Amino acid sequence: MGFIKDFKAFLLKGDIVNLATAVIVATAFGAIVKSFTNDIIMPPIGVALGGVDFTDLKYVIKEAQPEQVINGETIAAVEAVTINYGNFIQVVLNFIIIGFFIFMFLKAYAKTKKKEKESPEPASPPAPSAQEQLLMEIRDVLKSKQ
């Protein structure tokens, strides 16, 4: 029973909940940035490069072999062996753009925290004066006599 109780306490700690929330938000953020890169950034770059789609760029090491029939025996098709450097370029650009957005977000967050730190803390109420202190003591004595 102690194991289950400890495990439940572990799962409900603020750090774990915050981590889970961060992972979910990061996944959604990654999808947004990927769409931004693929749908907004890359098309103009592709047009500027003569209609090139980075994901289609590849170096063929071995050509594909179509399905063949030799002496009545069917030989299965073999896919081409390629180095997909265009997809690698796309992933690197996604990483740079995601890094830039995270950098900007953290910079704005740090600026907000700095402003909070610089803003004066609300002053604690001043300590009672000697006269107020004396009146409180008189009040306490009167209460104790009743």
Side-chain angles (χ1 to χ4, degrees):
M1 190 68 176
F3 175 78
I4 294 172
K5 186 177 178 182
D6 290 344
F7 185 65
K8 182 180 175 184
F10 169 75
L11 288 179
L12 296 178
K13 274 186 180 178
D15 294 342
I16 298 298
V17 173
N18 289 343
L19 178 62
T21 303
V23 168
I24 292 167
V25 170
T27 302
F29 184 73
I32 291 169
V33 173
K34 184 176 181 180
S35 174
F36 177 74
T37 304
N38 294 340
D39 303 330
I40 295 174
I41 299 289
M42 295 313 292
I45 291 175
V47 169
L49 295 175
V52 175
D53 180 6
F54 279 108
T55 56
D56 293 336
L57 297 175
K58 57 187 155 195
Y59 176 74
V60 178
I61 297 173
K62 184 177 178 185
E63 293 290 335
Q65 299 293 322
E67 184 177 294
Q68 299 175 10
V69 178
I70 300 176
N71 297 332
E73 191 175 323
T74 304
I75 300 174
V78 178
E79 291 187 30
V81 178
T82 61
I83 295 176
N84 301 318
Y85 66 90
N87 193 46
F88 178 74
I89 292 170
Q90 182 71 43
V91 170
V92 168
L93 285 172
N94 284 350
F95 174 76
I96 291 169
I97 291 169
I98 289 171
F100 175 75
F101 277 102
I102 290 173
F103 172 75
M104 295 305 291
F105 175 78
L106 291 176
K107 197 165 176 82
Y109 178 76
K111 192 175 186 179
T112 303
K113 284 295 189 187
K114 186 177 179 183
K115 283 184 181 178
E116 284 179 11
K117 205 173 195 180
E118 290 176 355
S119 65
E121 294 291 322
S124 58
S129 66
Q131 184 179 8
E132 290 171 335
Q133 187 69 32
L134 182 60
L135 288 172
M136 287 190 293
E137 288 173 12
I138 294 170
R139 177 198 63 202
D140 294 342
V141 169
L142 291 174
K143 276 187 181 179
S144 66
K145 288 187 177 183
Q146 291 179 358

